[in-house]
Structures are given as C-alpha cells and as structure tokens.
Amino acid sequence: MYVVREGLRQILRHPTASLATFFTALVSFALLYFLGLLLWNLERVVDALGQELEVAAFLAREADVERVLSTIQDWPEVASVRLQTKEEALAQLVLDYPYLAEAKDLVENPLPDTLRLKLKDPEAVRQVAERLRHLPGVEGVEYGGELTERLVQVLAGSRLAMGVLVGLLLLNTFFSVMGSIRLSVESRKEALGIMLLVGATRRFIQGPFVAEGILLTLSAGVLAVAAGVGLYRTLARAAQSLLPFLPVLNAQDLARTGLLVLLLALLLGAGGAYMASRAHLREE
Amino acid sequence: MIAFHRVSLEYPRTRTKALYNVSLEIKKGEFVYVVGHSGAGKSTLLSLILRRLVPTQGAVYFAGQNLKNLRGDQVAYHRRKIGMVFQDHRLLSDMTVEENLAFVLQVQGVPRKEWPERIALALRRVGLTHKKRAFPEELSVGEAQRVAIARALLLDPPVILADEPTGNLDPANAMAVLEILKGAHSRGATVVVATHSRELLEAYPARTVVLKAGQVVRDEGPEGGGSIRVKERP
Ligand SMILES: Nc1ncnc2c1ncn2[C@@H]1O[C@H](COP(=O)(O)OP(=O)(O)OP(=O)(O)O)[C@@H](O)[C@H]1O
Ligand SMILES: [Mg+2]
C-alpha cells in the first residue's frame, strides 16, 4: 500500500529524528501505562480497605436515636448505618472477653448506644467524622483506618503527580512527532510542490505523513504495553506471594488499559502528523 | 472554456498589481499566445487558470465554473484537467525521466498497469524514449523542457498551459517544442502559451493576447488580420 510504504520510507530517510520520536513515545507510553496500572491497583487496595472502614458514633444516654439515625441516613457519603444498642454492644463484648460475663450483672451497663457507619468513599471519612462530632446527641466518634486515610492521600497525590508528568511527556511526544513530520515535509518539499500542482488530493499528500506518525507512535505503544505487562505481572506475582490477600489486576484489565494506551498512541501519531503536514497544503 | 471577467490581481505581500481589469475568453480548442514584456503578468495569468491564485477582483471561469468557489480537493480535480509546463521545467531531481512521469500518474491515481504504455507514448511524442532512465541533471536544457512537456501531455488533458516553454532554447529546439504543442492542439486540446519569442509567433501564427503592465492591450486574431484593439485604460 502506497501510504504505508511511503510512510516507512520517510521514517528511514531521517533515522535519527525518527528514533528520537520513537523513544520519546516509548518512554511516555511505558510510564503512562505502568504508572497507570500501579495507581489503578493501589486504588483497588484502598477500595478493599475502604469496604472494611467503619465510623462509630457513640450516642449520649438521652439522645434521640431515631432522629440522629435518620439525619445520618440522608448524608450522601454514607453507604449504610447500623444501630448497635448498648445491650448488643455488651453481648459482643462478653463474647469477645468471656471473663466479663460475671461482671456484667454487677454493674449497670456502661456502654453507650453506638451507630456504625459504612461510607461510600473512604476519602470522606475525616469529613464525616467531623460532622458526626457536632451532631446533637453524639458524644464521641471513632474510626479506624489511619492507614486507609494515609493511602487515600498518597493516591490522590500520586494521581496528580502522574497526571502532570505523563501529561508533559505526552505533550513532548506530540511535538516530537510534529518535528519528525516537519522534517519529512521539508525533505519532500520539492515533490510536494509538484504534487499540488498536478492535482494531488489532500489525502494523497497527507496520507504518508499520517502513516509515518502512526507507525512511530503505534510501534512505540505496542512495545510500551508489552514491557508494562511484563513488568506489572512480575511485580504482582511477587507482591501476592508476600501478601496473598492483595487485590491485583487481571489479564482483562491489563488488555483493556493496554488498548487505551494504543488508542492514545494512534491519536497522538495521527494528530501530530496531520497538524504538521497541514500547513504545507496551502501552496508552496 | 476559459473566461476572465474583469480580473485584477494584487500580490498581497508586495502589493504589486500584476493584472488589472483583464477580460478575456478562450474557446475550447483554441491556440493562444500570451505575450508581453517581463513582468507584464503572463505567468500570473496562467497561475489564475491553474488556480494557484484567486483574483483580487473579478472572476475566472473554467468550463463555466467560477474557480474561486472550488473547495478542498475540488482544486486538485480542477488541476488534473490542465497540463502545465513551467518556466523552470520543475522536474524532480532525484527521479529519472521515467519516474518523473510515473509520479504524476501515481498522484492522479492512474492504475499501475497503464503506466508503461502511457509513459512510452508521452516520451515518443517528445522524441526522448532513449533518455527515460536519465536523471534531469543528465539532460540538456532542451531535453528537460521536452520532458516537462511530456509530463504535461501525459494524460491528454483538455487544456495545456505552457509558460515560456522555449525560454532558454536555441531555435531548433524551440521549433521542436512548438511542434509538440501543435500536436496536442491538433488532437483537440486548448493550448495557452506564454512567451517572449517572436520566432514562435512567426512559425505558427495564432491568436495573440498582448499584456502590458497587467492590462490586455491587444488581442489579435490568428492571421494577424482582424486585429482587435482593446481600449487601454489609464
Ligand atoms: N509571488 C509573487 N509575489 C509578489 N509579486 C509577484 C509574484 N510573482 C510575480 N510578481 C510580480 O507580479 C508582476 C507580474 O509577474 P509575472 O510573473 O506574472 O510576469 P511575467 O509576465 O510572467 O514575466 P516573465 O516574462 O519575466 O516571466 C511582476 O511585477 C512581478 O514582480
Ligand atoms: Mg513568467
């Protein structure tokens, strides 16, 4: 096919620039893919931890339990609320510590009624706890999951850092593609001028450049995804042998994100080439 | 076939008024010379027909179509109806004669199996079959000019525009080039030749449009008789 053959020939005509673009694209896509996988995985871990995360609100003796309950149920962050009466709490306690069984009859039950909340989003835990604390009838709030909270912060931070880093790299790739294509256009200037004058369609003129851009970024994308899958698999296996309960991404997840990266590669290659070759269509 | 309707053209960057209020009609199958001093606007006129330029004022019609209204690839398809011979032959230096011709066929999407026959015919018409494997720099100026003409005639376009096709040629070579253009004309093509050359006009008298500083000052019929004087504008 003319377009692909011509695109390939152009790549070989200035190998240094082509390699520069190829490696820029490779690094960008590899980082995007691999870091993306790690973050996604981390998100899964946090999700799993979040499922366990529970906020406990201890109620005052005179509290209007029904009212507090219905108020909390209306909060959008809350997935579920369960009332644990002090009797249940005591029974649980006795179950956990059998030697208390005798003591429980001697004194009045000292435990408060407790509301146990599960959240939709673990990120909201601090905020919800704070709001709970100010609710009339609530005497104290407790939540576990310091680790989860820390992880959530790390996750948000890394997501931002990765977004910036990868965004810059992709921009770099885009301009690198444009630079390569500019070179091709420059080296074919004479021929392009004649093509225009003897009636070449825009597709005929731009096709080879777009093919060149796609060949460069897509080949880099394929390699990046292959490397990313290899590396991730190795890491995941090692991690799981240490912590078997750790959730990891399955082959389908890897394939789906890989395809996304390839699609992005295609768009960057084609887009950069299209932009770079378009200006030259307007007459020499 | 080709009509100029009160066409003015100003090159925007230098603000040069290259053509002023030119009206002109060229019929299908005509052979027309466009003459005038250097800078009179001959190349500009041909560029308007090829639609490398769009008039600043007025309109150029090609087969009834206002060229200004062509969009996108319509320009490409318009240019395929025209065989253009450039003042500086414009052959690609890294391709042989044969490849230069094949290039145009490829650009215009002619099936590959038709190429050898078309190229052979075009080279036979200009008498350069034996040079098909030469690169442009291995050709004499006259030969290069003939290859450029072969390229323009390659697909028998209905219109041939030749800009100074005999510019740097000795009389014998100039006559050879003229013969080729006459051949195309006799096969029915509309031919417009921009030239300084008196010899051409004498060897093959035809309608002659005289440009002076961007205006048509004379438009003479084929035999020199029936000369039409176009009123000059201040
Ligand atoms: N691309 C351009 N930009 C600005 N001015 C131009 C351009 N091309 C031509 N001109 C000017 O337009 C006028 C007409 O030029 P044109 O090339 O049409 O003349 P010509 O009759 O073909 O001359 P010659 O016989 O030397 O080829 C000249 O004054 C020239 O300087
Ligand atoms: Mg000229």
Side-chain angles (χ1 to χ4, degrees):
Chain A
M1 197 146 109
Y2 163 78
V3 164
V4 175
R5 189 158 27 85
E6 208 46 45
L8 203 61
R9 195 183 297 168
Q10 276 161 198
I11 288 176
L12 300 176
R13 208 174 282 159
H14 44 79
T16 318
S18 298
L19 278 177
T21 301
F22 174 81
F23 281 113
T24 306
L26 182 62
V27 169
S28 310
F29 295 139
L31 275 179
L32 168 67
Y33 187 53
F34 185 66
L35 292 182
L37 288 181
L38 282 190
L39 279 186
W40 195 20
N41 203 150
L42 196 58
E43 223 162 283
R44 286 256 171 114
V45 172
V46 170
D47 267 358
L49 292 174
Q51 302 277 301
E52 324 259 286
L53 187 69
E54 209 176 52
V55 181
F58 306 116
L59 300 180
R61 234 153 252 287
E62 68 284 358
D64 180 350
V65 176
E66 284 308 314
R67 246 196 48 208
V68 176
L69 198 60
S70 70
T71 308
I72 293 173
Q73 265 163 345
D74 286 343
W75 292 354
E77 301 92 338
V78 174
S80 67
V81 199
R82 183 169 62 84
L83 173 69
Q84 190 182 35
T85 59
K86 53 186 179 228
E87 290 75 25
E88 280 168 13
L90 187 62
Q92 181 67 43
L93 198 65
V94 169
L95 219 58
D96 289 344
Y97 305 100
Y99 57 85
L100 289 179
E102 292 149 32
K104 85 172 182 179
D105 295 330
L106 300 180
V107 291
E108 200 191 338
N109 182 352
L111 297 172
D113 284 337
T114 306
L115 292 179
R116 296 195 175 276
L117 284 69
K118 295 227 176 207
L119 300 186
K120 287 181 188 140
D121 179 1
E123 268 182 75
V125 66
R126 189 178 280 268
Q127 197 192 339
V128 170
E130 202 50 43
R131 220 180 306 151
L132 273 174
R133 211 164 272 139
H134 291 106
L135 218 57
V138 174
E139 275 194 331
V141 176
E142 238 182 52
Y143 58 93
E146 296 255 320
L147 173 69
T148 313
E149 210 190 355
R150 193 84 42 79
L151 268 180
V152 166
Q153 281 167 354
V154 169
L155 193 63
S158 345
R159 218 184 279 143
L160 186 69
M162 170 181 152
V164 171
L165 175 73
V166 171
L168 287 175
L169 281 171
L170 291 182
L171 212 60
N172 187 17
T173 305
F174 185 76
F175 285 117
S176 187
V177 169
M178 281 189 74
S180 255
I181 301 301
R182 276 270 149 77
L183 267 184
S184 289
V185 168
E186 218 45 53
S187 72
R188 299 204 62 201
K189 218 168 170 165
E190 199 194 358
L192 286 175
I194 292 171
M195 278 165 139
L196 278 170
L197 292 175
V198 300
T201 55
R202 282 171 302 176
R203 210 178 64 183
F204 185 88
I205 291 176
Q206 288 190 286
F209 297 118
V210 172
E212 180 184 354
I214 292 177
L215 279 174
L216 284 173
T217 53
L218 206 57
S219 57
V222 167
L223 207 63
V225 167
V229 167
L231 194 58
Y232 177 81
R233 279 263 164 94
T234 318
L235 275 182
R237 216 170 295 133
Q240 270 202 316
S241 70
L242 287 176
L243 308 163
F245 57 85
L246 204 68
V248 295
L249 307 174
N250 60 28
Q252 207 192 11
D253 295 333
L254 295 184
R256 228 181 296 146
T257 40
L259 275 180
L260 228 56
V261 170
L262 293 185
L263 190 70
L264 187 71
L266 192 85
L267 285 177
L268 274 182
Y274 181 81
M275 304 267 281
S277 58
R278 198 170 62 146
H280 272 269
L281 277 180
R282 299 188 207 107
E283 225 58 39
E284 347 82 282
Chain B
M1 185 84 208
I2 301 165
F4 280 63
H5 188 76
R6 298 175 153 273
V7 172
S8 296
L9 186 117
E10 178 179 315
Y11 285 103
R13 211 176 58 76
T14 56
R15 315 210 64 196
T16 311
K17 292 184 170 59
L19 288 179
Y20 180 74
N21 203 24
V22 170
S23 292
L24 189 67
E25 192 173 337
I26 296 171
K27 297 213 168 58
K28 195 168 150 63
E30 255 191 301
F31 191 107
V32 182
Y33 291 111
V34 179
V35 300
H37 294 299
S38 184
K42 305 183 293 294
S43 297
T44 304
L45 190 129
L46 297 187
S47 291
L48 283 162
I49 300 173
L50 196 59
R51 205 200 184 267
R52 291 173 79 181
L53 299 171
V54 177
T56 326
Q57 269 162 40
V60 179
Y61 295 90
F62 188 99
Q65 161 85 269
N66 186 344
L67 292 182
K68 195 163 105 184
N69 298 334
L70 298 183
R71 289 285 168 271
D73 283 342
Q74 289 177 329
V75 175
Y77 294 115
H78 164 66
R79 288 177 181 170
R80 291 182 187 188
K81 296 175 199 145
I82 297 173
M84 177 88 193
V85 184
F86 297 95
Q87 213 162 348
D88 50 346
H89 63 69
R90 290 267 197 142
L91 297 173
L92 285 169
S93 55
D94 59 348
M95 291 185 185
T96 63
V97 166
E98 208 172 27
E99 287 163 353
N100 263 288
L101 299 183
F103 182 69
V104 174
L105 295 174
Q106 188 176 34
V107 166
Q108 303 202 4
V110 176
R112 201 169 277 263
K113 60 175 188 294
E114 294 177 24
W115 293 7
E117 198 184 324
R118 293 221 180 240
I119 291 171
L121 176 64
L123 286 176
R124 215 177 313 129
R125 279 178 186 162
V126 300
L128 284 175
T129 306
H130 58 293
K131 292 285 186 189
K132 65 180 179 191
R133 295 201 206 294
F135 285 95
E137 62 185 24
E138 297 164 346
L139 299 173
S140 74
V141 179
E143 286 166 346
Q145 198 59 271
R146 272 144 72 199
V147 174
I149 295 175
R151 183 176 65 184
L153 301 183
L154 202 48
L155 285 158
D156 289 317
V159 173
I160 312 254
L161 306 178
D163 195 353
E164 220 72 75
T166 61
N168 305 307
L169 304 185
D170 60 46
N173 266 310
M175 285 310 127
V177 163
L178 180 63
E179 282 308 316
I180 300 163
L181 292 174
K182 274 163 68 179
H185 181 227
S186 69
R187 285 192 298 276
T190 307
V191 181
V192 182
V193 181
T195 184
H196 300 285
S197 165
R198 285 258 138 241
E199 283 141 38
L200 284 192
L201 297 170
E202 282 158 15
Y204 188 57
R207 178 179 168 195
T208 304
V209 175
V210 182
L211 285 178
K212 190 173 171 189
Q215 298 190 55
V216 177
V217 294
R218 248 186 7 239
D219 190 345
E220 294 177 341
E223 253 61 60
S227 116
I228 308 151
R229 265 199 84 84
V230 176
K231 57 174 187 280
E232 256 180 85
R233 300 206 159 238

mmCIF file of all heavy atoms in Angstrom, chain B residues 11 13-14 16-18 36-45 87 163-164 196 211, ligand 1:
data_model
loop_
_atom_site.group_PDB
_atom_site.id
_atom_site.type_symbol
_atom_site.label_atom_id
_atom_site.label_comp_id
_atom_site.label_asym_id
_atom_site.label_seq_id
_atom_site.Cartn_x
_atom_site.Cartn_y
_atom_site.Cartn_z
ATOM 1 N N TYR B 11 -0.682 41.058 -5.693
ATOM 2 C CA TYR B 11 0.037 40.192 -4.758
ATOM 3 C C TYR B 11 0.049 40.886 -3.400
ATOM 4 O O TYR B 11 0.556 42.003 -3.295
ATOM 5 C CB TYR B 11 1.463 39.939 -5.240
ATOM 6 C CG TYR B 11 1.532 38.957 -6.389
ATOM 7 C CD1 TYR B 11 1.727 39.399 -7.692
ATOM 8 C CD2 TYR B 11 1.384 37.596 -6.172
ATOM 9 C CE1 TYR B 11 1.788 38.506 -8.754
ATOM 10 C CE2 TYR B 11 1.439 36.693 -7.218
ATOM 11 C CZ TYR B 11 1.645 37.150 -8.508
ATOM 12 O OH TYR B 11 1.691 36.268 -9.541
ATOM 13 N N ARG B 13 1.587 40.582 -0.510
ATOM 14 C CA ARG B 13 2.763 40.903 0.290
ATOM 15 C C ARG B 13 3.484 42.146 -0.246
ATOM 16 O O ARG B 13 3.844 43.043 0.499
ATOM 17 C CB ARG B 13 3.728 39.716 0.332
ATOM 18 C CG ARG B 13 4.519 39.640 1.631
ATOM 19 C CD ARG B 13 5.382 38.401 1.661
ATOM 20 N NE ARG B 13 6.300 38.367 0.549
ATOM 21 C CZ ARG B 13 7.409 39.107 0.475
ATOM 22 N NH1 ARG B 13 7.728 39.918 1.454
ATOM 23 N NH2 ARG B 13 8.193 39.030 -0.575
ATOM 24 N N THR B 14 3.680 42.148 -1.560
ATOM 25 C CA THR B 14 4.407 43.283 -2.149
ATOM 26 C C THR B 14 3.462 44.358 -2.670
ATOM 27 O O THR B 14 3.902 45.404 -3.139
ATOM 28 C CB THR B 14 5.281 42.795 -3.310
ATOM 29 O OG1 THR B 14 4.440 42.123 -4.249
ATOM 30 C CG2 THR B 14 6.353 41.844 -2.830
ATOM 31 N N THR B 16 1.941 44.328 -5.324
ATOM 32 C CA THR B 16 2.146 44.508 -6.761
ATOM 33 C C THR B 16 0.838 44.223 -7.493
ATOM 34 O O THR B 16 0.251 43.155 -7.308
ATOM 35 C CB THR B 16 3.194 43.503 -7.289
ATOM 36 O OG1 THR B 16 4.331 43.547 -6.440
ATOM 37 C CG2 THR B 16 3.581 43.818 -8.717
ATOM 38 N N LYS B 17 0.411 45.181 -8.303
ATOM 39 C CA LYS B 17 -0.782 44.926 -9.112
ATOM 40 C C LYS B 17 -0.333 44.251 -10.404
ATOM 41 O O LYS B 17 0.091 44.912 -11.356
ATOM 42 C CB LYS B 17 -1.500 46.239 -9.409
ATOM 43 C CG LYS B 17 -2.101 46.854 -8.161
ATOM 44 C CD LYS B 17 -2.894 48.113 -8.502
ATOM 45 C CE LYS B 17 -3.701 48.605 -7.315
ATOM 46 N NZ LYS B 17 -2.876 48.929 -6.137
ATOM 47 N N ALA B 18 -0.410 42.922 -10.428
ATOM 48 C CA ALA B 18 0.131 42.172 -11.564
ATOM 49 C C ALA B 18 -0.824 42.144 -12.740
ATOM 50 O O ALA B 18 -0.401 42.103 -13.895
ATOM 51 C CB ALA B 18 0.471 40.755 -11.131
ATOM 52 N N GLY B 36 4.221 39.678 -23.917
ATOM 53 C CA GLY B 36 4.399 40.907 -23.152
ATOM 54 C C GLY B 36 5.767 40.917 -22.518
ATOM 55 O O GLY B 36 6.416 39.876 -22.411
ATOM 56 N N HIS B 37 6.150 42.117 -22.113
ATOM 57 C CA HIS B 37 7.469 42.243 -21.503
ATOM 58 C C HIS B 37 7.547 41.444 -20.224
ATOM 59 O O HIS B 37 6.526 41.070 -19.650
ATOM 60 C CB HIS B 37 7.765 43.717 -21.194
ATOM 61 C CG HIS B 37 7.895 44.544 -22.421
ATOM 62 N ND1 HIS B 37 8.853 44.308 -23.376
ATOM 63 C CD2 HIS B 37 7.162 45.598 -22.872
ATOM 64 C CE1 HIS B 37 8.722 45.183 -24.354
ATOM 65 N NE2 HIS B 37 7.688 45.978 -24.075
ATOM 66 N N SER B 38 8.769 41.255 -19.791
ATOM 67 C CA SER B 38 8.961 40.603 -18.496
ATOM 68 C C SER B 38 8.243 41.404 -17.413
ATOM 69 O O SER B 38 8.353 42.626 -17.372
ATOM 70 C CB SER B 38 10.459 40.524 -18.200
ATOM 71 O OG SER B 38 10.648 39.823 -17.013
ATOM 72 N N GLY B 39 7.478 40.708 -16.591
ATOM 73 C CA GLY B 39 6.745 41.393 -15.527
ATOM 74 C C GLY B 39 5.384 41.901 -15.969
ATOM 75 O O GLY B 39 4.672 42.536 -15.190
ATOM 76 N N ALA B 40 4.990 41.607 -17.205
ATOM 77 C CA ALA B 40 3.707 42.101 -17.709
ATOM 78 C C ALA B 40 2.525 41.359 -17.089
ATOM 79 O O ALA B 40 1.398 41.844 -17.105
ATOM 80 C CB ALA B 40 3.660 41.974 -19.224
ATOM 81 N N GLY B 41 2.772 40.170 -16.548
ATOM 82 C CA GLY B 41 1.688 39.436 -15.898
ATOM 83 C C GLY B 41 1.323 38.120 -16.567
ATOM 84 O O GLY B 41 0.276 37.535 -16.261
ATOM 85 N N LYS B 42 2.187 37.626 -17.444
ATOM 86 C CA LYS B 42 1.869 36.394 -18.176
ATOM 87 C C LYS B 42 1.767 35.184 -17.239
ATOM 88 O O LYS B 42 0.788 34.436 -17.281
ATOM 89 C CB LYS B 42 2.958 36.130 -19.237
ATOM 90 C CG LYS B 42 3.177 37.282 -20.200
ATOM 91 C CD LYS B 42 4.210 36.950 -21.256
ATOM 92 C CE LYS B 42 5.624 36.780 -20.704
ATOM 93 N NZ LYS B 42 6.217 38.016 -20.153
ATOM 94 N N SER B 43 2.792 35.019 -16.423
ATOM 95 C CA SER B 43 2.767 33.865 -15.502
ATOM 96 C C SER B 43 1.603 33.984 -14.525
ATOM 97 O O SER B 43 0.965 32.983 -14.162
ATOM 98 C CB SER B 43 4.072 33.779 -14.717
ATOM 99 O OG SER B 43 5.149 33.568 -15.590
ATOM 100 N N THR B 44 1.329 35.197 -14.109
ATOM 101 C CA THR B 44 0.212 35.435 -13.201
ATOM 102 C C THR B 44 -1.099 34.977 -13.835
ATOM 103 O O THR B 44 -1.923 34.321 -13.190
ATOM 104 C CB THR B 44 0.141 36.929 -12.848
ATOM 105 O OG1 THR B 44 1.399 37.328 -12.295
ATOM 106 C CG2 THR B 44 -0.956 37.202 -11.851
ATOM 107 N N LEU B 45 -1.252 35.299 -15.115
ATOM 108 C CA LEU B 45 -2.471 34.912 -15.829
ATOM 109 C C LEU B 45 -2.620 33.386 -15.857
ATOM 110 O O LEU B 45 -3.700 32.842 -15.591
ATOM 111 C CB LEU B 45 -2.413 35.486 -17.253
ATOM 112 C CG LEU B 45 -3.679 35.381 -18.073
ATOM 113 C CD1 LEU B 45 -4.032 36.750 -18.648
ATOM 114 C CD2 LEU B 45 -3.537 34.395 -19.209
ATOM 115 N N GLN B 87 7.900 27.490 -16.366
ATOM 116 C CA GLN B 87 9.027 28.248 -16.869
ATOM 117 C C GLN B 87 10.353 27.536 -16.525
ATOM 118 O O GLN B 87 11.246 27.439 -17.334
ATOM 119 C CB GLN B 87 8.999 29.642 -16.224
ATOM 120 C CG GLN B 87 9.509 30.731 -17.112
ATOM 121 C CD GLN B 87 9.067 32.133 -16.649
ATOM 122 O OE1 GLN B 87 8.211 32.268 -15.793
ATOM 123 N NE2 GLN B 87 9.657 33.142 -17.238
ATOM 124 N N ASP B 163 4.298 27.902 -19.889
ATOM 125 C CA ASP B 163 4.871 29.186 -19.500
ATOM 126 C C ASP B 163 6.302 29.241 -20.009
ATOM 127 O O ASP B 163 7.179 28.553 -19.494
ATOM 128 C CB ASP B 163 4.831 29.319 -17.974
ATOM 129 C CG ASP B 163 5.059 30.760 -17.526
ATOM 130 O OD1 ASP B 163 5.386 31.613 -18.391
ATOM 131 O OD2 ASP B 163 4.911 31.024 -16.312
ATOM 132 N N GLU B 164 6.511 30.059 -21.042
ATOM 133 C CA GLU B 164 7.860 30.228 -21.580
ATOM 134 C C GLU B 164 8.515 28.883 -21.894
ATOM 135 O O GLU B 164 9.634 28.612 -21.454
ATOM 136 C CB GLU B 164 8.702 30.919 -20.509
ATOM 137 C CG GLU B 164 9.647 31.965 -21.033
ATOM 138 C CD GLU B 164 8.942 33.197 -21.498
ATOM 139 O OE1 GLU B 164 8.492 33.998 -20.664
ATOM 140 O OE2 GLU B 164 8.826 33.347 -22.734
ATOM 141 N N HIS B 196 8.003 35.150 -24.933
ATOM 142 C CA HIS B 196 8.598 36.373 -25.484
ATOM 143 C C HIS B 196 8.935 36.172 -26.950
ATOM 144 O O HIS B 196 9.291 37.112 -27.635
ATOM 145 C CB HIS B 196 9.980 36.671 -24.862
ATOM 146 C CG HIS B 196 10.006 36.872 -23.394
ATOM 147 N ND1 HIS B 196 9.552 38.017 -22.808
ATOM 148 C CD2 HIS B 196 10.469 36.090 -22.394
ATOM 149 C CE1 HIS B 196 9.745 37.921 -21.502
ATOM 150 N NE2 HIS B 196 10.287 36.755 -21.235
ATOM 151 N N LEU B 211 -0.063 41.566 -23.283
ATOM 152 C CA LEU B 211 -0.194 42.178 -21.967
ATOM 153 C C LEU B 211 0.852 43.271 -21.815
ATOM 154 O O LEU B 211 1.983 43.134 -22.269
ATOM 155 C CB LEU B 211 0.054 41.134 -20.873
ATOM 156 C CG LEU B 211 -1.031 40.103 -20.587
ATOM 157 C CD1 LEU B 211 -0.551 39.139 -19.517
ATOM 158 C CD2 LEU B 211 -2.322 40.788 -20.152
HETATM 159 N N1 LIG C 1 4.771 35.638 -5.916
HETATM 160 C C1 LIG C 1 4.806 36.950 -6.179
HETATM 161 N N2 LIG C 1 4.736 37.837 -5.167
HETATM 162 C C2 LIG C 1 4.756 39.160 -5.416
HETATM 163 N N3 LIG C 1 4.850 39.703 -6.638
HETATM 164 C C3 LIG C 1 4.927 38.880 -7.685
HETATM 165 C C4 LIG C 1 4.910 37.454 -7.510
HETATM 166 N N4 LIG C 1 5.010 36.874 -8.727
HETATM 167 C C5 LIG C 1 5.079 37.887 -9.610
HETATM 168 N N5 LIG C 1 5.030 39.093 -9.015
HETATM 169 C C6 LIG C 1 5.038 40.409 -9.658
HETATM 170 O O1 LIG C 1 3.909 40.482 -10.500
HETATM 171 C C7 LIG C 1 4.210 41.077 -11.734
HETATM 172 C C8 LIG C 1 3.873 40.129 -12.851
HETATM 173 O O2 LIG C 1 4.683 38.989 -12.748
HETATM 174 P P1 LIG C 1 4.596 37.763 -13.752
HETATM 175 O O3 LIG C 1 5.461 36.678 -13.199
HETATM 176 O O4 LIG C 1 3.182 37.454 -13.991
HETATM 177 O O5 LIG C 1 5.257 38.356 -15.058
HETATM 178 P P2 LIG C 1 5.633 37.628 -16.408
HETATM 179 O O6 LIG C 1 4.912 38.336 -17.477
HETATM 180 O O7 LIG C 1 5.417 36.176 -16.300
HETATM 181 O O8 LIG C 1 7.179 37.922 -16.506
HETATM 182 P P3 LIG C 1 8.349 36.999 -17.147
HETATM 183 O O9 LIG C 1 8.239 37.160 -18.601
HETATM 184 O O10 LIG C 1 9.596 37.604 -16.606
HETATM 185 O O11 LIG C 1 8.118 35.618 -16.687
HETATM 186 C C9 LIG C 1 5.686 41.420 -11.665
HETATM 187 O O12 LIG C 1 5.791 42.783 -11.329
HETATM 188 C C10 LIG C 1 6.229 40.571 -10.556
HETATM 189 O O13 LIG C 1 7.266 41.235 -9.886
#
